[in-house]
Amino acid sequence: MFKRPLSNLPHLNPLPKQLRGTIRPLNTETKKQNSLPAAYYRGGTSRAVFFKQSDLPPSKTDWAPIFRNVLGSPDPYGRQLDGLGGGISSLSKVCVVGAPTHADADVDYTFVSLGIQNSDVDYSSNCGNMISAVGPFAVDSRLFPVSAREAAEVRIHNTNTGKIIRSTFPVVGGEAAASGDFAIDGVAGTAARVQLDFVHPAGSVTGTLLPTSNVTDEFDGVTATCIDVGNPCVFVRASDLGVEGDLTPEDIAAHADLLPRLDSIRRQAGVKMGIADWVESVPGSVPKICMVAKPSVTDVCGGELKQTCDDVDLLARALSVGQPHKAVPITVALALAAAARVSGSTVAGVVDGPPVDGAGITIGHASGNLLVGANFDADGALTSATVFRTARRLFEGRIYWKNDS
């Protein structure tokens, strides 16, 4: 009986030449995945994977490969589908919480920002949004025992900046409360309120409130205020860049040259602030850069955001790791509140009259409004800044990553 060779069967023929390059040989040395205890939290308008420091390798130099693989970076497609990142800077984060190394703290907290399409693992800044979840994680993971308390106050030492933040929030049944009636713009629904008091937040990286020793500097012909509160920040007026102050993140991304101009200013400011020696080596995460503008008298756009001069004290549109931020980083908000009190700054120049809310400054950002309080002593020194956020545990268990080395 004649048998047709298998190689002649159409459905078993090799792929066309143009497709063969996408097929890789099967790795015969398959390895089990690695895993560690972890949790996933929303903090403010961000999300991050949380680790106990005691569960990670003792040497910090061994953390980066784990974090990249856990989040799915680098991803040339920019989506981080093979990990828990979300393809935008506010979702590409890791937090490590452990025993305190500071006498005034209950826990240590290290923030890690990861690149999405590149392999950057950045320890140079703090994240004000994710710090709202650090206290709840410390309680939920039993790093900070609460017994029968109805509220917890956790003193957090941020190892990135050396600063102390007090986190106060309700507790139910020995766990951080999730339900509540407090809402923040950018997050659907309501949750338990988390109060964050940043103690002596000035000079987080540079050691001083005004790192260039000037209230304003000029970069690429644009006037800027460089200030270090929570994180080093650079504030420029939207009008000086020839744009409106109420741009959406999509508007900013689609603009012909706005992002490159802002990054050029940011990098030059980073050098003058002493963060790096040359513009190419300025980290992606700091300094932050933000455009500010006066709010309009009337709601000319008729949109959902209420950001007239009756609603907010100023408009702010911030970038985070080169991307337009969907809301405003909390550390940028803290710096805005402080800069508004510095006479002659670009921020003070757009804030007219008494504040909308006497408790602080109300910032109109891309997703809504945010009230931030800044407290100064009789000598004009910034003693603390306060902001209110929400946070929630989304899951906990074991997280897996591949060892492709």
Side-chain angles (χ1 to χ4, degrees):
M1 180 179 179
F2 175 75
K3 294 184 178 179
R4 187 178 182 183
L6 291 178
S7 60
N8 291 336
L9 295 177
H11 64 283
L12 293 179
N13 274 348
L15 288 171
K17 289 183 179 179
Q18 64 268 29
L19 296 180
R20 292 178 193 172
T22 63
I23 304 299
R24 296 182 179 179
L26 180 66
N27 181 5
T28 58
E29 296 182 5
T30 56
K31 304 174 183 177
K32 289 180 64 177
Q33 290 196 84
N34 302 287
S35 69
L36 280 174
Y40 199 49
Y41 276 71
R42 176 187 63 78
T45 54
S46 296
R47 291 199 305 262
V49 177
F50 273 74
F51 293 99
K52 284 184 180 180
Q53 186 167 340
S54 58
D55 290 328
L56 291 170
S59 174
K60 193 174 177 179
T61 58
D62 295 327
W63 293 0
I66 298 173
F67 297 162
R68 290 191 193 101
N69 213 289
V70 159
L71 290 186
S73 295
D75 181 358
Y77 301 101
R79 299 179 67 187
Q80 295 175 304
L81 283 178
D82 202 33
L84 283 179
I88 58 176
S89 61
S90 59
L91 305 179
S92 189
K93 300 177 176 183
V94 169
C95 298
V96 180
V97 184
T101 58
H102 193 290
D104 297 328
D106 299 305
V107 294
D108 272 7
Y109 148 63
T110 300
F111 172 68
V112 192
S113 172
L114 278 84
I116 296 167
Q117 293 182 301
N118 59 48
S119 59
D120 290 350
V121 179
D122 191 344
Y123 294 90
S124 63
S125 67
N126 183 16
C127 176
N129 269 299
M130 284 318 308
I131 203 168
S132 62
V134 172
F137 173 79
V139 167
D140 295 340
S141 62
R142 306 297 185 263
L143 287 170
F144 184 83
V146 293
S147 62
R149 300 185 199 178
E150 294 183 356
E153 181 181 297
V154 183
R155 299 170 302 166
I156 301 164
H157 170 224
N158 176 233
T159 64
N160 307 80
T161 63
K163 297 295 184 178
I164 301 294
I165 303 96
R166 291 192 303 268
S167 176
T168 308
F169 50 91
V171 173
V172 177
E175 297 181 349
S179 300
D181 58 4
F182 187 70
I184 61 173
D185 288 327
V187 178
T190 62
R193 188 178 74 172
V194 180
Q195 178 175 330
L196 298 172
D197 296 303
F198 292 74
V199 182
H200 298 293
S204 63
V205 173
T206 65
T208 184
L209 181 70
L210 298 173
T212 69
S213 300
N214 304 316
V215 173
T216 61
D217 296 278
E218 190 172 293
F219 306 105
D220 292 340
V222 177
T223 302
T225 290
C226 300
I227 192 166
D228 184 358
V229 176
N231 269 323
C233 295
V234 186
F235 296 120
V236 294
R237 291 182 289 259
S239 58
D240 290 344
L241 292 160
V243 298
E244 298 296 325
D246 60 354
L247 295 179
T248 66
E250 293 74 21
D251 292 335
I252 296 171
H255 194 279
D257 63 355
L258 186 56
L259 286 177
R261 290 182 68 192
L262 287 169
D263 192 57
S264 175
I265 293 169
R266 188 189 74 83
R267 289 182 177 276
Q268 292 176 65
V271 172
K272 191 158 187 181
M273 296 167 87
I275 295 171
D277 292 330
W278 53 88
V279 293
E280 295 81 5
S281 62
V282 172
S285 59
V286 288
K288 308 287 188 186
I289 190 164
C290 177
M291 297 184 295
V292 297
K294 293 182 179 181
S296 61
V297 176
T298 58
D299 185 10
V300 294
C301 63
E304 294 182 1
L305 297 182
K306 298 298 182 183
Q307 296 184 334
T308 71
C309 58
D310 292 328
D311 309 301
V312 299
D313 297 304
L314 80 161
L315 301 178
R317 298 295 186 263
L319 303 187
S320 179
V321 197
Q323 295 181 325
H325 204 283
K326 301 293 185 181
V328 61
I330 291 303
T331 52
V332 174
L334 298 177
L336 280 166
R341 301 277 294 273
V342 177
S343 178
S345 72
T346 54
V347 179
V350 301
V351 177
D352 289 331
V356 170
D357 189 316
I361 184 172
T362 304
I363 301 163
H365 56 80
S367 299
N369 306 333
L370 175 66
L371 174 66
V372 185
N375 305 303
F376 291 78
D377 63 19
D379 298 324
L382 181 63
T383 57
S384 66
T386 301
V387 67
F388 299 95
R389 307 305 279 159
T390 63
R392 187 168 76 88
R393 175 171 51 180
L394 303 178
F395 83 75
E396 64 179 20
R398 298 191 71 85
I399 198 162
Y400 289 80
W401 80 94
K402 298 181 298 182
N403 185 355
D404 294 325
S405 58

